[in-house]
Amino acid sequence: EPEVTQTPSHQVTQMGQEVILRCVPISNHLYFYWYRQILGQKVEFLVSFYNNEISEKSEIFDDQFSVERPDGSNFTLKIRSTKLEDSAMYFCATPREARSYNEQFFGPGTRLTVL
Amino acid sequence: AQKVTQAQTEISVVEKEDVTLDCVYETRDTTYYLFWYKQPPSGELVFLIRRNSFDEQNEISGRYSWNFQKSTSSFNFTITASQVVDSAVYFCALLKSDGQNFVFGPGTRLSVLP
């Protein structure tokens, strides 16, 4: 089964600090997604990224968030100035097939704790 | 608007009992995809099944079975002879045909007691 990896597994930061969450999706895939799950709540869509551009984003994905693919393989989610309410599990996802958008495989997640 | 409802917040069963997790969805799309994911205590999201809107055939995989009823917009999930390892949060999710993003239900926490 294809693997999506995420680092770090757990990040603790102070409010107002910048954090960068990293994802290594399945190679050669063009579609990437970030989702967020506040503890005990449902998984929420943040942003989709296709061919190095944002293709869709939710209302959660405000100016504090940005995504990029700095080196053609890693896929990052940056939060510029973290708030307490940003504490959540962040999942990266990629489809099974390179040019498909179905059957997304999720990475193991990064648990972000903002103090 | 798209929406997924999982009315059961928490379910507790005793090992070897059968249990059905309900999922009702709303969409205006004629083509869409439905999914079930399992989230064990470790936190990862484990893919269980995908179903296309034009394929209403029910599916069985081992102890798992899924009942897709387009007429009632439901995609229910049954675990037969439940085991303690089935304890997890189960999410039903809807994906639009253009595949931009999932809409997840709120999840059902299943506890299987020994």
Side-chain angles (χ1 to χ4, degrees):
Chain A
E1 189 172 287
E3 224 177 84
V4 178
T5 58
Q6 289 185 244
T7 56
S9 56
H10 191 187
Q11 173 96 43
V12 181
T13 189
Q14 295 288 328
M15 191 169 60
Q17 296 294 306
E18 174 183 283
V19 294
I20 297 176
L21 311 182
R22 290 183 172 80
C23 168
V24 181
I26 303 167
S27 60
N28 301 320
H29 282 213
L30 300 178
Y31 287 91
F32 312 101
Y33 305 82
W34 281 101
Y35 291 82
R36 179 184 81 174
Q37 184 184 29
I38 295 172
L39 185 64
Q41 298 187 23
K42 67 179 178 181
V43 180
E44 300 173 291
F45 169 73
L46 288 178
V47 65
S48 60
F49 197 74
Y50 171 66
N51 208 20
N52 295 324
E53 288 185 355
I54 291 176
S55 58
E56 187 167 336
K57 59 183 181 179
S58 72
E59 57 189 24
I60 302 170
F61 194 86
D62 61 23
D63 292 343
Q64 292 297 314
F65 290 91
S66 62
V67 289
E68 61 178 13
R69 201 175 181 196
D71 58 9
S73 59
N74 290 331
F75 180 45
T76 62
L77 174 69
K78 182 192 292 185
I79 308 175
R80 292 193 225 309
S81 178
T82 50
K83 303 186 286 286
L84 294 176
E85 53 265 37
D86 293 327
S87 294
M89 183 77 98
Y90 290 82
F91 292 101
C92 167
T94 187
R96 172 189 281 276
E97 296 168 6
R99 294 183 182 277
S100 164
Y101 40 69
N102 292 322
E103 197 174 315
Q104 293 177 16
F105 287 99
F106 287 81
T110 293
R111 183 172 299 282
L112 175 65
T113 302
V114 182
L115 303 176
Chain B
Q2 308 206 344
K3 186 179 177 182
V4 176
T5 302
Q6 294 177 256
Q8 305 145 309
T9 306
E10 293 191 36
I11 301 176
S12 287
V13 297
V14 177
E15 206 171 17
K16 296 184 184 176
E17 285 184 6
D18 298 348
V19 59
T20 295
L21 310 182
D22 298 334
C23 173
V24 174
Y25 62 92
E26 295 176 28
T27 180
R28 292 179 185 163
D29 290 346
T30 54
T31 302
Y32 50 88
Y33 304 88
L34 295 163
F35 295 75
W36 276 94
Y37 282 88
K38 175 182 179 180
Q39 187 174 45
S42 51
E44 72 268 28
L45 287 166
V46 179
F47 167 81
L48 295 178
I49 191 173
R50 180 191 78 183
R51 180 53 86 216
N52 305 330
S53 57
F54 45 86
D55 179 6
E56 286 194 70
Q57 188 174 4
N58 292 326
E59 184 160 335
I60 297 175
S61 175
R63 295 184 298 107
Y64 295 168
S65 62
W66 291 270
N67 184 358
F68 178 29
Q69 301 250 343
K70 210 166 176 179
S71 60
T72 56
S73 297
S74 65
F75 185 42
N76 296 337
F77 172 32
T78 297
I79 302 175
T80 304
S82 59
Q83 299 175 0
V84 173
V85 294
D86 295 328
S87 296
V89 180
Y90 290 85
F91 290 97
C92 180
L94 173 69
L95 183 67
K96 298 185 293 184
S97 60
D98 64 5
Q100 285 296 341
N101 63 275
F102 276 111
V103 174
F104 279 82
T108 296
R109 180 177 299 279
L110 174 65
S111 299
V112 181
L113 307 173

